[in-house]
Amino acid sequence: MIPIANGTFEITPIHEKYAWRICDFVTVNTSRLKTYFPQTLTENLTPELSKLFIDQKIKAFNNKTEFVFVIKNTIDRSVAGLLFVKNLDFDKKEAEIAYCIGYQHEGIGITTMAVKEITAWAFKEHGLRTLRIIVHKSNPASIRIAEKCGYTWKETLPKEHQPPAMQPMDMELYVKAYEG
């Protein structure tokens, strides 16, 4: 468990007890997730699907192939957002960080604090030396989060993301190197 600076939220590895809460999170935030997190959305549309999703993500966490964290509200225990450390390459010592926050919690700095904490965790706990965040230019809030967390724009990735029933999208690559 990693407390976030404001004390009302914390980051915790995904756990079986979050199935209903993750299902609630994705269904309430469907419109926010459908373009950039379509797989996460479809894998969590019911509590039963969320249970399968969580089982897979716990195995991946234990096998160190992907790390999924929940940003949770410590007062009502709801899921405020999700963080992914994915596309891990331990030979190259690099990975990608992806994040989503519920509409009820946007704009108050929770995601920035969470990304800072997970960035430090990934560098310290796993010896990673380069982390990436990939965002679309139409998402200025996500770009601000990357920049506030010390990531710098590197390049545009042509046709990097394929949302359902849409044309492939160019995405912006932000990178942060270990400074330790």
Side-chain angles (χ1 to χ4, degrees):
M1 182 169 22
I2 305 168
I4 298 177
N6 74 0
T8 305
F9 295 89
E10 64 186 16
I11 306 163
T12 184
I14 200 162
H15 188 277
E16 297 92 13
K17 65 185 173 186
Y18 295 117
W20 277 91
R21 291 178 248 182
I22 290 174
C23 178
D24 287 344
F25 170 77
V26 300
T27 55
V28 168
N29 290 286
T30 296
S31 63
R32 298 174 67 87
L33 301 173
K34 68 182 177 185
T35 301
Y36 300 109
F37 289 87
Q39 186 173 346
T40 301
L41 175 61
T42 58
E43 291 177 346
N44 288 283
L45 289 174
T46 68
E48 295 78 20
L49 288 172
S50 286
K51 175 74 173 99
L52 294 172
F53 171 83
I54 289 169
D55 289 346
Q56 292 172 350
K57 298 306 180 184
I58 289 171
K59 286 178 187 163
F61 201 106
N62 292 335
N63 293 332
K64 298 181 180 182
T65 56
E66 180 180 39
F67 302 105
V68 178
F69 294 87
V70 171
I71 304 171
K72 78 173 180 184
N73 183 314
T74 59
I75 296 168
D76 67 11
R77 312 304 255 170
S78 64
V79 171
L82 298 170
L83 287 162
F84 299 79
V85 180
K86 61 185 197 168
N87 299 325
L88 289 138
D89 185 330
F90 287 107
D91 293 332
K92 293 181 180 178
K93 298 181 186 266
E94 60 186 30
E96 178 184 340
I97 293 183
Y99 45 85
C100 54
I101 193 75
Y103 74 89
Q104 316 91 311
H105 305 292
E106 71 179 340
I108 58 175
I110 297 164
T111 311
T112 299
M113 288 184 275
V115 170
K116 283 181 182 178
E117 292 294 337
I118 290 302
T119 296
W121 174 86
F123 285 143
K124 180 181 178 192
E125 298 297 323
H126 295 286
L128 299 175
R129 294 297 175 250
T130 305
L131 294 172
R132 300 177 306 279
I133 294 175
I134 299 173
V135 301
H136 192 261
K137 64 184 176 186
S138 67
N139 189 345
S142 191
I143 291 170
R144 277 193 308 277
I145 290 165
E147 291 172 342
K148 285 180 184 179
C149 293
Y151 289 74
T152 56
W153 181 85
K154 184 171 182 183
E155 65 183 308
T156 299
L157 304 171
K159 299 181 180 181
E160 173 70 15
H161 180 62
Q162 177 63 63
M166 294 175 69
Q167 293 296 316
M169 300 171 78
D170 295 348
M171 301 294 281
E172 304 304 315
L173 174 63
Y174 287 78
V175 176
K176 181 175 177 92
Y178 179 68
E179 300 168 355

